[in-house]
PDB file of all heavy atoms in Angstrom:
ATOM      1  N   GLY A  91       2.545  13.221  27.786  1.00 98.00           N
ATOM      2  CA  GLY A  91       1.893  14.488  28.109  1.00 98.00           C
ATOM      3  C   GLY A  91       2.536  15.704  27.463  1.00 98.00           C
ATOM      4  O   GLY A  91       2.208  16.832  27.821  1.00 98.00           O
ATOM      5  N   ARG A  92       3.387  15.498  26.504  1.00 98.00           N
ATOM      6  CA  ARG A  92       4.086  16.589  25.829  1.00 98.00           C
ATOM      7  C   ARG A  92       3.372  16.871  24.498  1.00 98.00           C
ATOM      8  O   ARG A  92       3.896  16.653  23.412  1.00 98.00           O
ATOM      9  CB  ARG A  92       5.549  16.213  25.631  1.00 98.00           C
ATOM     10  CG  ARG A  92       6.277  16.083  26.975  1.00 98.00           C
ATOM     11  CD  ARG A  92       7.606  15.375  26.904  1.00 98.00           C
ATOM     12  NE  ARG A  92       8.551  15.956  25.955  1.00 98.00           N
ATOM     13  CZ  ARG A  92       9.742  15.433  25.710  1.00 98.00           C
ATOM     14  NH1 ARG A  92      10.146  14.349  26.349  1.00 98.00           N
ATOM     15  NH2 ARG A  92      10.554  15.989  24.831  1.00 98.00           N
ATOM     16  N   ASN A  93       2.129  17.366  24.617  1.00 98.00           N
ATOM     17  CA  ASN A  93       1.243  17.456  23.465  1.00 98.00           C
ATOM     18  C   ASN A  93       1.636  18.511  22.447  1.00 98.00           C
ATOM     19  O   ASN A  93       1.368  18.338  21.258  1.00 98.00           O
ATOM     20  CB  ASN A  93      -0.200  17.635  23.928  1.00 98.00           C
ATOM     21  CG  ASN A  93      -0.721  16.367  24.555  1.00 98.00           C
ATOM     22  OD1 ASN A  93      -0.593  15.297  23.971  1.00 98.00           O
ATOM     23  ND2 ASN A  93      -1.277  16.469  25.744  1.00 98.00           N
ATOM     24  N   GLY A  94       2.259  19.592  22.864  1.00 98.00           N
ATOM     25  CA  GLY A  94       2.718  20.584  21.892  1.00 98.00           C
ATOM     26  C   GLY A  94       3.748  19.981  20.948  1.00 98.00           C
ATOM     27  O   GLY A  94       3.673  20.162  19.720  1.00 98.00           O
ATOM     28  N   GLU A  95       4.694  19.244  21.513  1.00 98.00           N
ATOM     29  CA  GLU A  95       5.704  18.560  20.704  1.00 98.00           C
ATOM     30  C   GLU A  95       5.079  17.425  19.894  1.00 98.00           C
ATOM     31  O   GLU A  95       5.465  17.190  18.738  1.00 98.00           O
ATOM     32  CB  GLU A  95       6.803  17.992  21.596  1.00 98.00           C
ATOM     33  CG  GLU A  95       7.633  19.032  22.316  1.00 98.00           C
ATOM     34  CD  GLU A  95       8.524  18.384  23.360  1.00 98.00           C
ATOM     35  OE1 GLU A  95       9.617  17.917  22.979  1.00 98.00           O
ATOM     36  OE2 GLU A  95       8.108  18.341  24.535  1.00 98.00           O
ATOM     37  N   ALA A  96       4.123  16.739  20.490  1.00 98.00           N
ATOM     38  CA  ALA A  96       3.440  15.644  19.799  1.00 98.00           C
ATOM     39  C   ALA A  96       2.728  16.158  18.558  1.00 98.00           C
ATOM     40  O   ALA A  96       2.772  15.527  17.496  1.00 98.00           O
ATOM     41  CB  ALA A  96       2.450  14.959  20.739  1.00 98.00           C
ATOM     42  N   LEU A  97       2.096  17.312  18.688  1.00 98.00           N
ATOM     43  CA  LEU A  97       1.379  17.896  17.557  1.00 98.00           C
ATOM     44  C   LEU A  97       2.336  18.159  16.397  1.00 98.00           C
ATOM     45  O   LEU A  97       2.038  17.826  15.242  1.00 98.00           O
ATOM     46  CB  LEU A  97       0.673  19.183  17.986  1.00 98.00           C
ATOM     47  CG  LEU A  97      -0.205  19.842  16.926  1.00 98.00           C
ATOM     48  CD1 LEU A  97      -1.377  18.949  16.576  1.00 98.00           C
ATOM     49  CD2 LEU A  97      -0.700  21.187  17.444  1.00 98.00           C
ATOM     50  N   LYS A  98       3.494  18.731  16.691  1.00 98.00           N
ATOM     51  CA  LYS A  98       4.472  19.017  15.635  1.00 98.00           C
ATOM     52  C   LYS A  98       4.963  17.730  14.972  1.00 98.00           C
ATOM     53  O   LYS A  98       5.139  17.676  13.755  1.00 98.00           O
ATOM     54  CB  LYS A  98       5.651  19.809  16.206  1.00 98.00           C
ATOM     55  CG  LYS A  98       5.275  21.230  16.568  1.00 98.00           C
ATOM     56  CD  LYS A  98       6.442  21.970  17.187  1.00 98.00           C
ATOM     57  CE  LYS A  98       5.970  23.348  17.636  1.00 98.00           C
ATOM     58  NZ  LYS A  98       6.948  24.043  18.460  1.00 98.00           N
ATOM     59  N   ALA A  99       5.178  16.696  15.760  1.00 98.00           N
ATOM     60  CA  ALA A  99       5.627  15.421  15.196  1.00 98.00           C
ATOM     61  C   ALA A  99       4.553  14.809  14.301  1.00 98.00           C
ATOM     62  O   ALA A  99       4.858  14.297  13.211  1.00 98.00           O
ATOM     63  CB  ALA A  99       6.013  14.451  16.315  1.00 98.00           C
ATOM     64  N   MET A 100       3.294  14.867  14.729  1.00 98.00           N
ATOM     65  CA  MET A 100       2.200  14.346  13.897  1.00 98.00           C
ATOM     66  C   MET A 100       2.082  15.149  12.603  1.00 98.00           C
ATOM     67  O   MET A 100       1.875  14.585  11.524  1.00 98.00           O
ATOM     68  CB  MET A 100       0.868  14.389  14.659  1.00 98.00           C
ATOM     69  CG  MET A 100       0.760  13.420  15.805  1.00 98.00           C
ATOM     70  SD  MET A 100       0.808  11.694  15.269  1.00 98.00           S
ATOM     71  CE  MET A 100       0.722  10.891  16.851  1.00 98.00           C
ATOM     72  N   GLU A 101       2.220  16.448  12.721  1.00 98.00           N
ATOM     73  CA  GLU A 101       2.144  17.295  11.523  1.00 98.00           C
ATOM     74  C   GLU A 101       3.287  16.982  10.567  1.00 98.00           C
ATOM     75  O   GLU A 101       3.096  16.965   9.345  1.00 98.00           O
ATOM     76  CB  GLU A 101       2.133  18.767  11.917  1.00 98.00           C
ATOM     77  CG  GLU A 101       0.813  19.175  12.544  1.00 98.00           C
ATOM     78  CD  GLU A 101       0.799  20.558  13.172  1.00 98.00           C
ATOM     79  OE1 GLU A 101       1.886  21.185  13.321  1.00 98.00           O
ATOM     80  OE2 GLU A 101      -0.305  21.009  13.527  1.00 98.00           O
ATOM     81  N   ARG A 102       4.459  16.691  11.101  1.00 98.00           N
ATOM     82  CA  ARG A 102       5.597  16.319  10.251  1.00 98.00           C
ATOM     83  C   ARG A 102       5.314  14.989   9.559  1.00 98.00           C
ATOM     84  O   ARG A 102       5.598  14.828   8.360  1.00 98.00           O
ATOM     85  CB  ARG A 102       6.868  16.240  11.100  1.00 98.00           C
ATOM     86  CG  ARG A 102       8.081  15.785  10.355  1.00 98.00           C
ATOM     87  CD  ARG A 102       8.667  16.886   9.492  1.00 98.00           C
ATOM     88  NE  ARG A 102       9.908  16.401   8.890  1.00 98.00           N
ATOM     89  CZ  ARG A 102      10.186  16.487   7.603  1.00 98.00           C
ATOM     90  NH1 ARG A 102       9.372  17.107   6.784  1.00 98.00           N
ATOM     91  NH2 ARG A 102      11.308  15.997   7.130  1.00 98.00           N
ATOM     92  N   ALA A 103       4.767  14.020  10.276  1.00 98.00           N
ATOM     93  CA  ALA A 103       4.432  12.722   9.676  1.00 98.00           C
ATOM     94  C   ALA A 103       3.424  12.903   8.545  1.00 98.00           C
ATOM     95  O   ALA A 103       3.569  12.300   7.476  1.00 98.00           O
ATOM     96  CB  ALA A 103       3.878  11.774  10.741  1.00 98.00           C
ATOM     97  N   ILE A 104       2.431  13.749   8.763  1.00 98.00           N
ATOM     98  CA  ILE A 104       1.406  13.994   7.744  1.00 98.00           C
ATOM     99  C   ILE A 104       2.010  14.713   6.537  1.00 98.00           C
ATOM    100  O   ILE A 104       1.679  14.405   5.387  1.00 98.00           O
ATOM    101  CB  ILE A 104       0.222  14.777   8.346  1.00 98.00           C
ATOM    102  CG1 ILE A 104      -0.536  13.882   9.329  1.00 98.00           C
ATOM    103  CG2 ILE A 104      -0.697  15.315   7.253  1.00 98.00           C
ATOM    104  CD1 ILE A 104      -1.513  14.620  10.225  1.00 98.00           C
ATOM    105  N   ALA A 105       2.906  15.657   6.781  1.00 98.00           N
ATOM    106  CA  ALA A 105       3.557  16.366   5.676  1.00 98.00           C
ATOM    107  C   ALA A 105       4.382  15.388   4.828  1.00 98.00           C
ATOM    108  O   ALA A 105       4.416  15.507   3.597  1.00 98.00           O
ATOM    109  CB  ALA A 105       4.445  17.487   6.220  1.00 98.00           C
ATOM    110  N   LEU A 106       5.022  14.436   5.496  1.00 98.00           N
ATOM    111  CA  LEU A 106       5.831  13.452   4.780  1.00 98.00           C
ATOM    112  C   LEU A 106       4.969  12.442   4.022  1.00 98.00           C
ATOM    113  O   LEU A 106       5.358  11.962   2.956  1.00 98.00           O
ATOM    114  CB  LEU A 106       6.744  12.704   5.760  1.00 98.00           C
ATOM    115  CG  LEU A 106       7.885  13.525   6.341  1.00 98.00           C
ATOM    116  CD1 LEU A 106       8.522  12.798   7.522  1.00 98.00           C
ATOM    117  CD2 LEU A 106       8.934  13.812   5.267  1.00 98.00           C
ATOM    118  N   ARG A 107       3.823  12.108   4.603  1.00 98.00           N
ATOM    119  CA  ARG A 107       2.948  11.098   3.994  1.00 98.00           C
ATOM    120  C   ARG A 107       1.492  11.530   4.181  1.00 98.00           C
ATOM    121  O   ARG A 107       0.815  11.103   5.115  1.00 98.00           O
ATOM    122  CB  ARG A 107       3.216   9.745   4.651  1.00 98.00           C
ATOM    123  CG  ARG A 107       2.772   8.584   3.805  1.00 98.00           C
ATOM    124  CD  ARG A 107       3.381   7.293   4.330  1.00 98.00           C
ATOM    125  NE  ARG A 107       2.311   6.446   4.859  1.00 98.00           N
ATOM    126  CZ  ARG A 107       2.481   5.490   5.745  1.00 98.00           C
ATOM    127  NH1 ARG A 107       3.672   5.256   6.241  1.00 98.00           N
ATOM    128  NH2 ARG A 107       1.468   4.776   6.153  1.00 98.00           N
ATOM    129  N   PRO A 108       1.000  12.383   3.283  1.00 98.00           N
ATOM    130  CA  PRO A 108      -0.349  12.941   3.449  1.00 98.00           C
ATOM    131  C   PRO A 108      -1.472  11.899   3.534  1.00 98.00           C
ATOM    132  O   PRO A 108      -2.508  12.161   4.142  1.00 98.00           O
ATOM    133  CB  PRO A 108      -0.523  13.827   2.205  1.00 98.00           C
ATOM    134  CG  PRO A 108       0.870  14.153   1.776  1.00 98.00           C
ATOM    135  CD  PRO A 108       1.697  12.956   2.136  1.00 98.00           C
TER     136      PRO A 108
END
Side-chain angles (χ1 to χ4, degrees):
R92 294 165 55 183
N93 289 310
E95 294 170 84
L97 185 65
K98 289 177 185 169
M100 291 296 178
E101 288 170 349
R102 176 77 175 130
I104 291 166
L106 289 167
R107 201 165 113 203

